[in-house]
Amino acid sequence: MIRKYLAVGIILLFVGTCIIPATAQNIEPLPTSRGNWLYVGGSGPGNYTRIQDAINASSDGDTVFVFSGFYQEGGIVVIDRKYINIIGEDKNTTIIDGCEKGWVFRIDNTISGSDDTHIKISGLTIQNASVGIYVYTDNNTINDNIIQNNVLGDLPRGIFIAIANNNSIYGNVIRKNEYGIYVWKYPKNTKIEQNLIENNSYGILVEGVAENTFISKNTIINNVGYGVSIRKCYYTIVEKNNIYKNHRDALFVVHAHHHDLYKFETTWNENYWGKIKLQSKIILGTLEIPYYSWPGEDCLRFIWLNFDWHPAKEPYDIRGMS
């Protein structure tokens, strides 16, 4: 009997060793997971002391790992690679301080020459600058960071996305900035999901004819101005968020130009707005109609209403928020 069980065990072991490699071979790693690892901080031999130095020494596909610590970059960290990960050991203890100067991270195409970059930034606290992260290229991911206290300069922002497509912002804590997230100037397919956006002057601002912006499952609370503002944008969806306790929870501007009013509509769906008396949530906005014949006036402005027809009765439990 013992010999019988032993034989069966050997057969199963042989089958398992055949199946597992065959399965693993079908898994194609992401471009950003290939390459070498470069280390910032810590005590290892050859580790870098500055993130910028590690990025400058990296190649496409590398990962820059930043150990817990306090890093005073004191200016702009330019990320000019096409494929790279920048990962912090712990977002609560890996702190990148802008030293009250300029921007902390800039994802740029001016040196790499490519708009298709696939950069990932995660696991960091990014603070004390004019802009925490400036995104100027496509297909990047910003997740699991704390972005805070970026209040310097003329237009300070936690995250700023401009002229860039297919970017994803999710799972971050964004607090005590002037603008938490600012999406501007013809960006397409921006996803803003599962973030805690609190105690900023303004939570989320999307404008400049942004197209297909998706805002979902965020908690947007206690912002001094508005929680969410959508201005002159195409096909925006705001759904299943917690949006309450802001000075003004939401506002929007619709711009009727060349009879394409339908493109500027924002869909508000199943958001939690706190306790409301009606079965639907009324969202007050502005309709602008160009009227160039009036001296000094570029458009007529009217009150315009949107509705969240099915608001949530209870706040959503959004994982990862603390």
Side-chain angles (χ1 to χ4, degrees), residues 155 157 159-164 179 181-190 192 202 204-213 215 226 228-234 236 251-255 264 266 288:
L155 193 60
R157 293 143 287 191
I159 299 174
F160 182 37
I161 294 178
I163 323 176
Y179 290 89
I181 300 174
Y182 196 151
V183 181
W184 176 74
K185 203 170 184 182
Y186 309 113
K188 295 180 180 179
N189 306 322
T190 303
I192 302 171
Y202 307 95
I204 299 174
L205 172 59
V206 183
E207 65 175 4
V209 200
E211 185 173 344
N212 292 328
T213 305
I215 301 171
Y226 50 73
V228 180
S229 177
I230 311 297
R231 302 183 181 184
K232 305 177 184 179
C233 296
Y234 291 157
T236 307
L251 60 95
F252 65 95
V253 176
V254 175
H255 188 74
F264 286 97
T266 298
E288 294 184 351

Side-chain angles (χ1 to χ4, degrees), residues 124-158:
L124 303 171
T125 290
I126 300 167
Q127 65 182 30
N128 293 338
S130 176
V131 178
I133 302 175
Y134 178 23
V135 180
Y136 199 68
T137 61
D138 304 340
N139 302 309
N140 305 292
T141 301
I142 300 168
N143 83 288
D144 194 34
N145 301 284
I146 298 172
I147 300 171
Q148 62 185 12
N149 299 323
N150 297 291
V151 296
L152 305 170
D154 296 332
L155 193 60
R157 293 143 287 191

Side-chain angles (χ1 to χ4, degrees), residues 276-282 311:
I276 59 176
K277 296 180 180 179
L278 303 176
Q279 295 298 316
S280 60
K281 168 68 175 178
I282 300 173

Side-chain angles (χ1 to χ4, degrees), residues 53-313:
D53 292 340
I55 293 172
N56 292 345
S58 71
S59 300
D60 286 334
D62 289 352
T63 295
V64 173
F65 183 87
V66 186
F67 285 99
S68 293
F70 187 81
Y71 301 87
Q72 292 180 303
E73 291 292 329
I76 303 172
V77 178
V78 178
I79 306 172
D80 54 3
R81 299 293 184 260
K82 295 181 181 180
Y83 303 97
I84 192 170
N85 294 322
I86 300 175
I87 302 174
E89 181 177 5
D90 184 323
K91 67 181 178 183
N92 296 291
T93 57
T94 310
I95 301 170
I96 316 303
D97 192 273
C99 301
E100 301 183 352
K101 298 178 181 179
W103 306 325
V104 177
F105 288 103
R106 179 182 174 110
I107 302 175
D108 204 338
N109 64 353
T110 56
I111 299 176
S112 68
S114 175
D115 290 324
D116 183 16
T117 53
H118 298 273
I119 307 300
K120 180 177 180 179
I121 299 176
S122 65
L124 303 171
T125 290
I126 300 167
Q127 65 182 30
N128 293 338
S130 176
V131 178
I133 302 175
Y134 178 23
V135 180
Y136 199 68
T137 61
D138 304 340
N139 302 309
N140 305 292
T141 301
I142 300 168
N143 83 288
D144 194 34
N145 301 284
I146 298 172
I147 300 171
Q148 62 185 12
N149 299 323
N150 297 291
V151 296
L152 305 170
D154 296 332
L155 193 60
R157 293 143 287 191
I159 299 174
F160 182 37
I161 294 178
I163 323 176
N165 304 322
N166 306 317
N167 288 289
S168 179
I169 303 168
Y170 72 93
N172 302 281
V173 176
I174 302 171
R175 63 192 179 199
K176 298 181 181 179
N177 305 281
E178 181 71 11
Y179 290 89
I181 300 174
Y182 196 151
V183 181
W184 176 74
K185 203 170 184 182
Y186 309 113
K188 295 180 180 179
N189 306 322
T190 303
K191 292 185 177 181
I192 302 171
E193 301 175 281
Q194 299 185 24
N195 301 283
L196 173 59
I197 303 169
E198 63 174 355
N199 298 313
N200 303 281
S201 295
Y202 307 95
I204 299 174
L205 172 59
V206 183
E207 65 175 4
V209 200
E211 185 173 344
N212 292 328
T213 305
F214 183 66
I215 301 171
S216 179
K217 297 182 180 179
N218 302 280
T219 294
I220 306 166
I221 60 173
N222 297 324
N223 294 288
V224 177
Y226 50 73
V228 180
S229 177
I230 311 297
R231 302 183 181 184
K232 305 177 184 179
C233 296
Y234 291 157
Y235 309 120
T236 307
I237 296 176
V238 183
E239 70 174 19
K240 296 182 180 179
N241 301 279
N242 300 320
I243 309 173
Y244 64 104
K245 293 185 180 179
N246 305 285
H247 177 70
R248 184 171 178 180
D249 289 326
L251 60 95
F252 65 95
V253 176
V254 175
H255 188 74
H257 185 61
H258 298 307
H259 308 289
D260 55 1
L261 178 61
Y262 71 95
K263 294 183 179 180
F264 286 97
E265 287 297 331
T266 298
T267 300
W268 310 84
N269 186 43
E270 298 183 17
N271 299 285
Y272 177 72
W273 303 93
K275 301 300 181 181
I276 59 176
K277 296 180 180 179
L278 303 176
Q279 295 298 316
S280 60
K281 168 68 175 178
I282 300 173
I283 303 163
L284 186 63
T286 302
L287 170 65
E288 294 184 351
I289 299 177
Y291 198 91
Y292 300 104
S293 63
W294 282 15
E297 292 288 340
D298 61 351
C299 61
L300 300 175
R301 293 177 175 84
F302 302 92
I303 294 174
W304 197 252
L305 300 180
N306 276 179
F307 296 88
D308 187 337
W309 295 107
H310 304 287
K313 295 181 180 180

